[in-house]
Amino acid sequence: MKVKNICCIGAGYVGGPTMAIIAQKSPEITVTVVDINEQRIAAWNNPDVEHIPIYEPGLSEVVAEARGRNLFFSTDVDAAIDAADMIFISVNTPTKTYGMGKGMAADLKYIELCARQIARVATTDKIVVEKSTLPVRTAEALKNILDNTGNGVNFQILSNPEFLAEGTAVSDLHKPDRVLIGGDLDTEAGREAIQALVGVYAHWVTEDNILTTNVWSSELSKLTANAFLAQRVSSINALSELCEVTGADIQEVSKAIGMDSRIGPKFLQASVGFGGSCFQKDILNLVYIAKSFGLHEVADYWEQVIIMNDHQKRRFAAKLVKTLYNTVSGKRIAMLGWAFKKDTNDTRESASIYVADYLLNEQATVVVYDPKVTQEQILADLDYLGTRSEAENRALIHVVNSAEEACDQAHAVALMTEWDVFKTLDWNSIYAHMLKPAFLFDGRRLLDRKVLEEIGFDFYAIGS
Ligand code: UDX
Ligand code: UDX
């Protein structure tokens, strides 16, 4: 079977870029991305491609090439479902904030709503592809809903987890290490559905890099890949604290161990803590699943990755307060960077949110600059934590338009996101406009200690 019409529910960080590349690489397939959020769809349709809702290097060019040709963005979910022979579900699956599994399990209400909507609308056979990261065995629940509430048409469920990282989504999608497709390998219809999706990716990915497995392996592999990556970051961050008390340097240690080809150099960069929409959520999910099967040692093992990450964020903020003579009350602290990593405007679970919250609790005045994150988003992130009233957040935090403005008359600067532009700031001039002694806390090991100390900064870098 050759896929001719694809619908993707969810025009977010995963659905948007993934569908844009599928459309770019497969001109004969019509790809429609739908979302219930009208504003988001309007932004995807903005005639000026520089204003699409997601910032990713190279994405606007891909959208410019395919949009209106075979790539469409719409809020008419029913029509897109009806027309499609393959439907990707790419809605968000946040950690539950209520009831059983609160704070740990994935909230699947949006997934279930999608399944019910597909079942209600579909009048022809459909292949339904899980793109969202889901707990193991979700496909089974999806199939139950589809088969029992549908109009008697056949549904095949595939799991096709996304491994793109934000900030490099376009190149990750163009050259994936692997594409993983889980499906029902035991039936002819299942194998056909898998091959249909293989056929889509085969437009630009060699078949050797397309792995097919059973559904459960595919679902679990996604959680596991993120857990392993996050574990490396927590491992190196754990050692960064040890470096600070022993005189070792975490960058030297990272390099030394990373050159062991069995370990490898990636994901060994010490930081103020990992963020992003996936690592924490997926590990909590893994922990919850392990616990629900009574595997307590397995659960505790993985939970430690999160405990370490929370510790790292708290430790960085506490270090700042301690260094500023144990009080930051009324002091101006500049935070450079709010996104959870460079080259994205995504702020979900960013360490900046937690560090800012800590400093605000200590009554600091926090001034933030990020090249791609809006003031609205920064305030929304803080309000979401619910630590203090919206009015208090607005009184204590200021968002400005340049790094220089943020640092002007500040007691200290905290470098939070590794944006390239922060490397080439005029640190001499920034120093001249700060209160003395001027403190600089590098949470990303982005800056050169020697240069900054020569300027006069009282300099702290994580892990040294
Ligand atoms: C994705 C995955 O789906 C998630 O499981 C993974 O772990 C992280 O990445 P992402 O694309 O980043 O999520 O989420 P988001 O940017 O929030 O986009 C989801 C979109 O789905 C939103 O635009 C939302 O409006 C839309 N949505 C949600 C629907 O259209 N219908 C719904 O019922 C729910
Ligand atoms: C991750 C996975 O990499 C991707 O495969 C999956 O599809 C989604 O989750 P993402 O969250 O976009 O991608 O970014 P990633 O590059 O993995 O970084 C996650 C966090 O870890 C960031 O806050 C980053 O700054 C931090 N990190 C990463 C470190 O602190 N040190 C490192 O060495 C690497």
Side-chain angles (χ1 to χ4, degrees):
M1 175 204 163
K2 271 216 176 338
V3 177
K4 292 194 197 71
N5 194 309
I6 288 177
C7 155
C8 173
I9 308 179
Y13 283 89
V14 170
T18 310
M19 292 304 124
I21 305 293
I22 290 183
Q24 181 197 28
K25 297 290 183 186
S26 328
E28 82 284 6
I29 303 179
T30 299
V31 181
T32 308
V33 190
V34 293
D35 202 297
I36 49 174
N37 182 336
E38 288 178 16
Q39 235 183 328
R40 208 166 206 180
I41 290 299
W44 279 110
N45 282 323
N46 193 315
D48 182 353
V49 281
E50 295 309 322
H51 289 103
I52 53 177
I54 285 166
Y55 173 72
E56 273 295 338
L59 181 61
S60 56
E61 288 85 343
V62 177
V63 171
E65 183 185 334
R67 197 177 59 186
R69 178 188 72 188
N70 63 327
L71 175 64
F72 303 93
F73 296 91
S74 162
T75 51
D76 193 345
V77 184
D78 281 4
I81 291 174
D82 189 32
D85 29 42
M86 180 174 273
I87 301 164
F88 286 79
I89 302 184
S90 190
V91 297
N92 42 334
T93 49
T95 304
K96 272 186 91 175
T97 53
Y98 55 89
M100 210 167 94
K102 179 179 169 182
M104 288 224 144
D107 191 339
L108 299 180
K109 71 174 169 209
Y110 301 126
I111 299 282
E112 177 165 346
L113 283 172
C114 286
R116 290 186 186 276
Q117 187 166 11
I118 295 169
R120 178 172 57 73
V121 172
T123 50
T124 52
D125 294 353
K126 311 278 181 204
I127 299 171
V128 176
V129 186
E130 298 176 336
K131 200 66 182 155
S132 305
T133 309
L134 296 168
V136 185
R137 304 202 78 94
T138 304
E140 198 167 58
L142 268 181
K143 184 139 183 62
N144 265 329
I145 294 169
L146 289 168
D147 287 348
N148 288 308
T149 58
N151 306 313
V153 300
N154 288 318
F155 293 104
Q156 279 298 322
I157 318 280
L158 302 178
S159 158
N160 173 220
E162 190 47 72
F163 295 107
L164 68 82
E166 290 173 27
T168 52
V170 173
S171 57
D172 293 348
L173 284 162
H174 277 158
K175 284 202 195 75
D177 285 350
R178 78 314 205 175
V179 168
L180 181 57
I181 300 173
D184 185 358
L185 290 162
D186 296 330
T187 64
E188 185 58 32
R191 287 191 294 271
E192 264 175 30
I194 292 174
Q195 280 317 310
L197 185 53
V198 169
V200 173
Y201 284 105
H203 282 87
W204 76 100
V205 182
T206 54
E207 297 221 6
D208 288 349
N209 286 340
I210 305 178
L211 280 180
T212 55
T213 64
N214 76 33
V215 182
W216 328 127
S217 301
S218 170
E219 289 177 335
L220 185 59
S221 299
K222 167 67 191 221
L223 295 183
T224 308
N226 277 344
F228 268 63
L229 292 169
Q231 181 203 40
R232 282 174 71 100
V233 178
S234 274
S235 297
I236 212 71
N237 282 346
L239 291 168
S240 73
E241 190 172 14
L242 192 57
C243 284
E244 289 172 27
V245 293
T246 56
D249 185 293
I250 197 62
Q251 277 191 318
E252 292 175 355
V253 175
S254 290
K255 185 163 182 198
I257 63 171
M259 282 174 74
D260 184 324
S261 61
R262 295 166 302 176
I263 297 173
K266 292 181 182 164
F267 273 74
L268 290 179
Q269 175 69 39
S271 67
V272 51
F274 61 73
S277 68
C278 289
F279 281 6
Q280 173 161 314
K281 171 170 70 81
D282 291 353
I283 293 176
L284 289 175
N285 221 320
L286 196 61
V287 170
Y288 184 73
I289 295 167
K291 274 192 185 153
S292 64
F293 285 104
L295 310 180
H296 298 292
E297 287 77 7
V298 177
D300 290 349
Y301 177 79
W302 287 108
E303 191 166 18
Q304 197 61 34
V305 174
I306 301 291
I307 293 172
M308 188 61 229
N309 196 50
D310 289 340
H311 171 67
Q312 188 77 344
K313 294 182 273 191
R314 215 170 27 245
R315 172 172 100 73
F316 182 81
K319 172 85 185 176
L320 196 151
V321 174
K322 188 161 174 243
T323 311
L324 269 69
Y325 317 112
N326 286 312
T327 176
V328 289
S329 178
K331 291 182 180 168
R332 183 176 165 110
I333 315 289
M335 286 181 65
L336 299 187
W338 192 265
F340 80 98
K341 62 192 276 200
K342 73 171 179 178
D343 291 340
T344 176
N345 60 351
D346 192 352
T347 64
R348 287 176 287 180
E349 294 300 331
S350 177
S352 295
I353 303 170
Y354 297 94
V355 170
D357 190 55
Y358 188 105
L359 296 175
L360 294 180
N361 278 343
E362 294 291 331
Q363 300 181 345
T365 298
V366 175
V367 190
V368 185
Y369 168 68
D370 186 287
K372 288 286 173 194
V373 181
T374 61
Q375 168 168 337
E376 200 187 355
Q377 184 61 51
I378 292 170
L379 290 169
D381 289 338
L382 283 169
D383 292 343
Y384 184 76
L385 286 185
T387 315
R388 62 192 78 68
S389 71
E390 294 186 9
E392 284 170 303
N393 280 333
R394 277 147 193 78
L396 288 169
I397 197 153
H398 305 280
V399 182
V400 296
N401 293 321
S402 74
E404 292 75 11
E405 202 183 327
C407 299
D408 191 30
Q409 301 303 310
H411 289 81
V413 185
L415 196 148
M416 304 300 298
T417 311
E418 72 283 22
W419 286 102
D420 289 336
V421 287
F422 295 157
K423 277 192 257 184
T424 51
L425 290 173
D426 182 350
W427 287 103
N428 270 301
S429 159
I430 287 177
Y431 178 78
H433 291 92
M434 284 178 65
L435 297 179
K436 306 297 176 316
F439 296 93
L440 176 46
F441 296 82
D442 184 352
R444 290 290 184 165
R445 297 302 296 264
L446 191 73
L447 306 173
D448 186 330
R449 169 182 292 276
K450 217 165 142 245
V451 173
L452 276 300
E453 283 182 344
E454 267 166 22
I455 292 173
F457 279 104
D458 199 317
F459 187 77
Y460 160 81
I462 207 120
S464 79

